[in-house]
Amino acid sequence: MRSFLIATFVVSCALSAIAEEKSDLAANMKDAKVSLERGIAASKAEGMPISAKYEVENGKLQLSVYSAKGDAFSEVIVDHKTGKVAKSEPITGGEDVTAAKSQNEAMSKANTSLQAAVSKAVKANKGYKAVSATPSLKDGHPTADITLMKGTESKTVSEQLD
C-alpha cells in the first residue's frame, strides 16, 4: 500500500509540473513574434533541423532547434522576436545527445522536412500555433509529433514524414 501511495504522489507531482510548464509556456507565447516554422528555417544554416520547441528557460521564452551536421549535433537558439540565430552550441552529452541521435535517425528516413510537417499541422488546425515538433520512428516510419497551442489550450498531432 505504501509503495502505491508513493507512486501516486510521484505521478501527481509530475502531472502538476507538466501542467505548470504548459501554463508558463502559454503565458509567454504572446511574446513570440516568430513562428516555429520560421525558427526551423533560420536554423538551417547550422545543419539539418531535427527537432524544435518553444520553452521557458530561466523564466524567459526561448526557441530552441536541434540540428545535425554529419555526426555532430547543435542546439540553435533562434531569437523569438527577430527570427535570427542568436547562438549555436554543440550538444555533447547526456540525454540531449541521446534525444538528438534518435531524432536524427527519424529525420534521416524522412521524405518530408520538419518545417513542412509543422506547416501542414498548423494549416490543418486554424488558430493554433506550433510550439514543438519532435520526430521519432513509429513502426519503422518517421513521424513528427507536433504540439499546437491556442491560448491555454494545447493538443498534439502526428504528421507522417515518409
Side-chain angles (χ1 to χ4, degrees):
M1 180 67 174
R2 181 170 180 209
S3 61
F4 173 76
L5 291 174
I6 291 170
T8 302
F9 176 75
V10 168
V11 168
S12 176
C13 288
L15 290 174
S16 177
I18 290 168
E20 186 176 322
E21 196 174 293
K22 276 188 176 181
S23 174
D24 206 15
L25 182 59
N28 281 279
M29 280 303 292
K30 67 185 177 323
D31 296 331
K33 305 290 182 240
V34 175
S35 67
L36 194 68
E37 303 97 292
R38 202 167 130 210
I40 292 169
S43 74
K44 288 180 183 175
E46 304 296 323
M48 178 181 68
I50 57 173
S51 68
K53 67 179 175 180
Y54 267 103
E55 61 188 339
V56 178
E57 187 82 19
N58 299 321
K60 293 184 178 181
L61 187 65
Q62 176 174 292
L63 175 48
S64 169
V65 182
Y66 279 15
S67 66
K69 192 182 280 186
D71 291 336
F73 302 108
S74 297
E75 179 179 19
V76 181
I77 306 301
V78 177
D79 185 301
H80 64 279
K81 292 184 179 180
T82 67
K84 296 186 186 324
V85 172
K87 69 178 176 178
S88 179
E89 297 178 342
I91 299 171
T92 57
E95 292 176 13
D96 290 341
V97 167
T98 304
K101 284 180 180 177
S102 172
Q103 294 161 3
N104 190 44
E105 181 184 3
M107 289 309 297
S108 71
K109 296 180 190 286
N111 295 322
T112 301
S113 72
L114 197 59
Q115 183 180 356
V118 171
S119 291
K120 183 177 177 186
V122 169
K123 283 181 184 143
N125 293 277
K126 264 201 178 350
Y128 283 84
K129 279 183 163 180
V131 295
S132 73
T134 308
S136 63
L137 290 173
K138 293 183 181 172
D139 298 324
H141 297 281
T143 304
D145 286 335
I146 300 162
T147 302
L148 304 163
M149 288 190 101
K150 178 168 50 173
T152 57
E153 186 183 331
S154 71
K155 64 181 175 179
T156 300
V157 299
S158 292
E159 290 291 338
Q160 295 298 316
L161 299 174
D162 57 358

